[in-house]
Amino acid sequence: VSQSRYKNEFGVTHQMDITYVVETKTSKPELVRQEKITTTLTGVGYRIEVTSSDANWGQVDVANLDNRKDILIQNTGTKDVFLYDYVLSSNTPSHFRVITPLSVSRQNPLKLQPNESYVLSLNYNPNGVIGVEHKGQIKFSFAYDHPKLGVLNGEVKGTKLISYLSGDGYRDWE
C-alpha cells in the first residue's frame, strides 16, 4: 500500500491510497493495481460572502433636513474581504448623500475580517419635493485576495452587494 496526501488551495486535505493486490485468475498469480481516492476534510474551505442592508426612510417632512440612516456592510464569510469602491446612484441624485464619505481604492481598500462590519451613514433630504418617491442604490465592489500592496484579485460576486434606498417627502401643514 502506498499513500500520498496534499492540500488544495482551500485548505482541504486529499489523500490517495494505492493498493496492490495479488489476484489469482489462472494458475499464475497477477499483480493488479487498485486505486482508491479519499478526500479527508482535515482543513476547512472558505466562504466568500458580503451583505449590505437597505435603507427606507418612508415619509419624511420636507422641513426636516437631517434624516440619517445607516447602511451595515458585513463580512458574513470566512475569509477577509476588501472594499475598494462604492457608487451612489439615484433617480434624483441630490436627495441622498453619504455623510462621511469613505475614501477607498484598489490601492487603499477597507479590510473586513470575517464577522466584521462597517457602517456607512447616509442622509435623505426631499429638498422640498412632495409626493414623489425618491429611489437610489449604493453598489459596493469587493475583492477577496490582497497579495501585496496596491494589488487586489478575486472579485466578490453573487452576494448582497447593493443597498437600495428610498424615501418620500411630505409637508406637515400644521
Side-chain angles (χ1 to χ4, degrees):
V1 176
S2 66
Q3 234 180 35
S4 66
R5 294 177 147 230
Y6 69 94
K7 274 191 179 182
N8 69 11
E9 64 181 315
F10 303 111
V12 176
T13 301
H14 294 271
Q15 176 178 314
M16 183 174 180
D17 298 326
I18 300 175
T19 307
Y20 293 94
V21 178
V22 176
E23 269 189 11
T24 310
K25 288 188 178 177
T26 59
S27 59
K28 186 168 120 184
E30 234 177 277
L31 188 62
V32 177
R33 177 181 164 150
Q34 295 179 341
E35 290 189 17
K36 178 176 131 189
I37 299 175
T38 309
T39 300
T40 309
L41 296 175
T42 56
V44 178
Y46 58 80
R47 185 179 78 251
I48 306 298
E49 189 174 81
V50 180
T51 62
S52 63
S53 61
D54 296 332
N56 183 344
W57 280 263
Q59 288 198 324
V60 173
D61 189 331
V62 293
N64 187 354
L65 303 179
D66 186 24
N67 303 292
R68 179 184 171 143
K69 290 251 184 209
D70 293 333
I71 299 287
L72 180 68
I73 307 160
Q74 186 171 16
N75 181 354
T76 53
T78 58
K79 186 174 173 82
D80 294 347
V81 294
F82 302 88
L83 173 64
Y84 65 87
D85 191 23
Y86 66 97
V87 176
L88 170 62
S89 60
S90 172
N91 63 345
T92 51
S94 62
H95 297 287
F96 300 102
R97 103 183 141 76
V98 177
I99 294 173
T100 307
L102 182 60
S103 178
V104 292
S105 66
R106 285 189 171 275
Q107 291 72 36
N108 184 36
L110 172 69
K111 177 181 177 180
L112 290 178
Q113 296 176 340
N115 298 315
E116 190 175 12
S117 58
Y118 181 82
V119 174
L120 188 65
S121 298
L122 301 165
N123 189 60
Y124 167 62
N125 182 346
N127 293 333
V129 178
I130 299 170
V132 175
E133 184 178 24
H134 303 117
K135 294 184 177 234
Q137 68 181 32
I138 300 177
K139 182 176 184 322
F140 299 98
S141 297
F142 283 91
Y144 61 85
D145 190 16
H146 191 26
K148 63 183 179 179
L149 188 63
V151 176
L152 289 176
N153 297 317
E155 191 72 22
V156 175
K157 296 178 192 262
T159 63
K160 175 90 171 56
L161 299 174
I162 296 177
S163 291
Y164 295 97
L165 317 172
S166 63
D168 189 358
Y170 77 95
R171 166 64 74 195
D172 187 359
W173 298 104
E174 297 179 37

